[in-house]
Amino acid sequence: MTSPLDQKLRIDGLVVITANRLRDGAVIYRTAGGGWTTDLAGALVLDAVAPVKAELAQAAGEGTLAVGAYAAPVVHDANGRLVPGNLREIIRSSGPTFDLRRVPAET
Amino acid sequence: MYVYDEFDQTLLNERVAEFSDQIKRRLSGELSEEEFRPLRLMNGTYLQLHAYMLRISIPYGTLSSKKLRMLAHIARRYDRGYGHFTTRQNLQFHWIKLEDLPNAMADLASAGLHGIQTSGNCVRNISTDQWAGVARDEIADPRIYAEILRQHLTLHPEFSFLPRKFKIGITGAAHDRAAVKMHDIGLWLRRGPNGELGFEVAVGGGLGRTPYLAETIRGFCPSRDLLGYVEAILRVYNRYGRRDNIWKARIKILVHDLGVAKFRDEVEAEFEASKDYAPVLDERLVAEITRRFHYPNFENVEDNPPELQAAFHDARFRTWYFNAVAPHRVPGHAIVTISLKPVGLTPGDCTADQMEALADFADQYGYGEIRNGHEQNLCLPSVRQRDLPALWRKLDAVGLALSNVNLITDIIACPGLDYCSLANARAIPVAMEISKRFADPDLQRNIGRLHINISGCINACGHHHIGHIGILGVEKQGQEFYQITLGGKADENAKLGTLIGPSVPFDKVADVIEDVVAAYIELRERPEEIFIDTVRRVGIQPFKERVYAVR
């Protein structure tokens, strides 16, 4: 999937601002208060270009918290829960799609 | 095993100090991400989907037990207890933290390990045959020359900012186990008319979006001219290589655009013009580097010792032996390939416990040396034949006595979308599913030699173009699809595979591979005709018909 960092900004639905945390690379989401959280449920949800641009500009200016901020699609599932909107974001949110345990005997 | 001198160690220590300071300044905000990114990449540190990734160079695929133990330590102390061996004789840790890197890098450097030449537009880690120095079909150990090139080109100011990354592959054997034709420069050790050592030199190989096989521009370059000739190639590339378009920046594009004859003329002219100041590889220098390679003091032992003959009564040992053990140039010894391809698990991954166990086995049975090759497997290059039964039992206890080397479950796969920020589709789950479908050892042996290579994007880190069966993940409207190629080969008769038809969705890939294999079983003239030879004889059409008739 084309890297979101390479995509032109086009907002077709709900998005959140996501990035990697500078100190450890963990996936983080922008909150309504201008902070960051690792919990997608706590993310600020946007649906228009202007506020997305504003949040991205602010995130870019902060420098030492987040790396490579961009807008990622999200949707609400059947239970109204906010979930990632594509496979790439599901993997970023939940990790690899297979069991990381290597040797059955060790598990 | 090449032993670093004080100069090498000082270089590493200084690099650790420099990079640690750069990390500190990035974390404090003194350096922006834009400023820091090229600096971290110069040290093999990438930012992937959900973590940083640290790529560590394993020059010419040679590890000591000390280095492997250090990799185990890094996996356990700073990562998640495992590492991933790549197709370019590197090892990647996928969960490293930037704030831990200064300590991790210092630990690595203490064992002579680093991330230099694993990223950036420089000459990357030079890869070779994992059987170098012990193969029977070798005319000289290519690692001597790989090390000379490594020392000459590491941090070389003229060649540190090339148009694009640059990969050199080198072998001294008749059978190419290093995929040499897929490199920007491919080098084969040859003997000249008077028995002198030299190199056949090929340029312009590479996979990715525009795959090419390297083409020979010099049939024989005397070894004394190796550095000068490689410099001439790099200088021509530096001069004419494109810097305006990342997809056209590799030397293969330049060679293709100029034509190989014109490119050769340019290199020869540059080589001639630089003769007065070009570095000369004299015998004294080669001898000095050779002296620093500490070869095992091989025991004087016979082939087929009684311990080995007795072990053949065990069918499981026999199966493993005939799959994973190869002849060694020294009597009474053997080369043991350690498959890192257990059914249903990630190709190329190795746990910290397994690394430590292998380091112990290497010390006990293999003169303390371990290798890794582009197939993402490991190798104990020198094991006394009498120790093979004991080694096999110990490997078995840690899940490493697999008998699938070069078989259909010995799949090469890049990390794909499960880790990589460049990927379009997953590769590892595809490999896992295929290996489960063909898990039956008897079925694998019946199918015989068959290489499957999987890449999660067009960058082709899984070398899909040269797989007997190649699988390339692409994205279509947000969904994962996979293109299938047949007929690729990585050896001295290298070939690029041919696309058989429209891509198939993620959940159909293993079905397609089953269809392709079923067609092969029907089409082969005899059981000994391996898959790639059947494809060469009948072409892709029968396979295409089989795959798409029902889809």
Side-chain angles (χ1 to χ4, degrees):
Chain A
M1 298 180 182
T2 307
S3 169
L5 297 175
D6 296 334
Q7 291 170 345
K8 286 181 182 170
L9 191 56
R10 206 180 74 185
I11 307 299
D12 291 332
L14 302 180
V15 297
V16 295
I17 305 300
T18 185
N20 291 89
R21 193 160 56 198
L22 173 65
R23 62 183 170 84
D24 60 3
V27 174
I28 49 177
Y29 303 98
R30 189 88 172 157
T31 66
W36 295 91
T37 176
T38 55
D39 182 7
L40 178 59
L44 168 69
V45 181
L46 303 168
D47 62 0
V49 170
V52 166
K53 277 189 172 172
E55 289 293 336
L56 288 174
Q58 198 161 350
E62 292 169 358
T64 59
L65 293 172
V67 180
Y70 64 93
V74 288
V75 293
H76 287 108
D77 68 9
N79 300 316
R81 202 168 55 105
L82 197 63
V83 294
N86 61 32
L87 178 60
R88 179 191 179 89
E89 293 305 324
I90 291 169
I91 292 171
R92 287 186 75 246
S93 174
S94 307
T97 58
F98 48 83
D99 191 341
L100 281 174
R101 292 172 301 181
R102 163 78 177 164
V103 181
E106 289 183 345
T107 61
Chain B
M1 176 60 59
Y2 180 75
V3 180
Y4 276 7
D5 60 15
E6 283 179 22
F7 180 85
D8 294 307
Q9 195 59 50
T10 301
L11 174 75
L12 288 193
N13 295 343
E14 288 176 354
R15 174 54 78 94
V16 170
E18 179 187 65
F19 188 40
S20 296
D21 181 59
Q22 290 160 347
I23 292 169
K24 189 175 151 196
R25 286 191 287 145
R26 174 66 188 113
L27 290 171
S28 73
E30 192 180 332
L31 288 177
S32 70
E33 185 59 21
E34 190 181 8
E35 291 166 326
F36 180 65
R37 186 172 176 274
L39 303 176
R40 67 169 159 79
L41 288 175
M42 283 179 195
N43 291 282
T45 307
Y46 291 71
L47 184 54
Q48 297 209 303
L49 288 187
H50 25 228
Y52 288 94
M53 178 269 279
L54 175 61
R55 183 180 292 159
I56 294 157
S57 165
I58 303 172
Y60 31 89
T62 298
L63 283 165
S64 63
S65 55
K66 178 186 170 189
K67 286 184 176 180
L68 191 56
R69 281 195 190 89
M70 178 53 71
L71 293 174
H73 161 74
I74 299 293
R76 194 174 283 129
R77 173 77 179 79
Y78 302 106
D79 208 87
R80 292 195 178 180
Y82 69 98
H84 176 76
F85 286 95
T86 76
T87 53
R88 287 220 74 255
Q89 294 181 315
N90 296 312
L91 178 124
Q92 295 181 175
F93 289 117
H94 285 136
W95 302 95
I96 209 91
K97 295 180 172 68
L98 186 64
E99 59 193 1
D100 286 342
L101 268 177
N103 289 334
M105 288 298 204
D107 289 354
L108 286 164
S110 72
L113 291 160
H114 56 83
I116 298 168
Q117 291 181 306
T118 62
S119 181
N121 294 339
C122 60
V123 177
R124 299 289 187 91
N125 185 29
I126 295 168
S127 54
T128 58
D129 183 355
Q130 67 271 25
W131 293 3
V134 297
R136 282 188 175 175
D137 61 343
E138 184 175 87
I139 61 170
D141 187 342
R143 294 173 303 162
I144 307 296
Y145 298 93
E147 174 59 23
I148 289 168
L149 284 164
R150 187 192 71 79
Q151 290 191 19
H152 186 69
L153 297 170
T154 296
L155 311 186
H156 193 302
E158 187 179 354
F159 309 124
S160 291
F161 297 95
L162 296 165
R164 194 76 178 92
K165 59 186 171 183
F166 201 91
K167 300 172 182 176
I168 299 176
I170 174 170
T171 184
H175 178 51
D176 181 359
R177 285 172 287 268
V180 168
K181 286 188 181 177
M182 269 51 71
H183 288 78
D184 296 283
I185 294 180
L187 299 168
W188 295 269
L189 271 157
R190 302 282 191 227
R191 291 275 179 203
N194 301 313
E196 71 275 28
L197 266 183
F199 296 86
E200 180 180 341
V201 183
V203 292
L207 301 176
R209 182 176 295 221
T210 317
Y212 288 113
L213 300 176
E215 294 197 57
T216 296
I217 59 168
R218 251 292 181 112
F220 187 78
C221 173
S223 63
R224 69 187 304 277
D225 291 334
L226 176 68
L227 295 179
Y229 203 74
V230 166
E231 278 200 355
I233 294 170
L234 287 166
R235 205 165 286 129
V236 169
Y237 175 47
N238 240 345
R239 189 180 303 146
Y240 298 119
R242 289 184 60 171
R243 294 172 187 268
D244 61 323
N245 182 338
I246 192 172
W247 301 113
K248 296 181 186 292
R250 295 288 293 271
I251 196 172
K252 61 188 176 184
I253 303 296
L254 177 64
V255 173
H256 182 74
D257 286 351
L258 283 180
V260 70
K262 170 73 174 154
F263 184 85
R264 180 181 55 233
D265 291 347
E266 291 282 348
V267 171
E268 292 289 343
E270 175 59 37
F271 179 59
E272 195 59 37
S274 62
K275 271 205 161 158
D276 289 344
Y277 54 85
V280 172
L281 198 52
D282 62 32
E283 288 179 8
R284 184 194 51 79
L285 181 58
V286 176
E288 173 61 20
I289 296 294
T290 305
R291 192 182 61 76
R292 296 199 65 80
F293 270 87
H294 290 191
Y295 285 92
N297 188 17
F298 290 113
E299 275 188 46
N300 186 11
V301 285
E302 298 288 318
D303 278 332
N304 293 316
E307 295 90 338
L308 178 60
Q309 292 173 38
F312 282 139
H313 294 299
D314 185 325
R316 286 184 66 230
F317 173 80
R318 208 166 52 238
T319 300
W320 173 79
Y321 176 88
F322 285 109
N323 176 261
V325 179
H328 194 283
R329 70 175 174 82
V330 177
H333 291 75
I335 303 168
V336 175
T337 298
I338 316 288
S339 165
L340 296 180
K341 314 293 176 62
V343 167
L345 296 175
T346 303
D349 275 9
C350 192
T351 66
D353 289 348
Q354 289 175 325
M355 290 183 211
E356 280 183 344
L358 264 178
D360 291 344
F361 304 161
D363 280 340
Q364 193 170 359
Y365 304 118
Y367 302 94
E369 200 176 311
I370 306 99
R371 309 281 183 83
N372 73 316
H374 75 86
E375 299 91 347
Q376 299 179 289
N377 290 324
L378 297 177
C379 165
L380 295 180
S382 301
V383 177
R384 289 171 293 264
Q385 291 176 13
R386 69 161 187 259
D387 291 333
L388 287 169
L391 171 64
W392 169 71
R393 280 190 291 275
K394 292 198 173 182
L395 287 171
D396 199 28
V398 293
L400 290 172
L402 304 179
S403 301
N404 64 348
V405 177
N406 290 326
L407 300 181
I408 191 167
T409 57
D410 186 2
I411 298 170
I412 294 172
C414 73
L417 188 59
D418 283 290
Y419 293 99
C420 179
S421 56
L422 299 175
N424 296 316
R426 289 171 289 168
I428 293 168
V430 175
M432 289 173 160
E433 180 60 23
I434 293 170
S435 74
K436 285 179 193 166
R437 300 281 183 101
F438 294 95
D440 178 358
D442 291 334
L443 174 62
Q444 292 183 51
R445 282 194 294 281
N446 179 32
I447 295 166
R449 187 172 188 131
L450 202 167
H451 299 292
I452 296 180
N453 292 50
I454 309 173
S455 300
C457 79
I458 197 65
N459 291 303
C461 294
H463 296 177
H464 63 277
H465 299 100
I466 53 171
H468 295 175
I469 299 176
I471 302 172
L472 166 64
V474 297
E475 180 206 353
K476 286 184 180 179
Q477 296 174 327
Q479 302 296 313
E480 297 165 290
F481 280 79
Y482 296 82
Q483 297 176 354
I484 314 291
T485 53
L486 299 183
K489 280 185 86 173
D491 62 12
E492 61 278 12
N493 301 309
K495 272 193 71 173
L496 302 173
T498 305
L499 187 65
I500 63 167
S503 56
V504 296
F506 174 81
D507 59 356
K508 297 294 181 215
V509 177
D511 295 346
V512 168
I513 302 307
E514 284 188 320
D515 286 345
V516 168
V517 172
Y520 155 65
I521 300 288
E522 289 171 16
L523 289 162
R524 67 184 177 186
E525 285 186 325
R526 56 193 187 287
E528 294 75 29
E529 184 180 66
I530 63 172
F531 177 83
I532 188 68
D533 290 339
T534 301
V535 174
R536 188 172 52 190
R537 180 172 56 79
V538 304
I540 66 164
Q541 193 59 30
F543 296 96
K544 189 173 180 172
E545 287 168 8
R546 178 66 171 252
V547 167
Y548 294 104
V550 293
R551 291 186 175 85

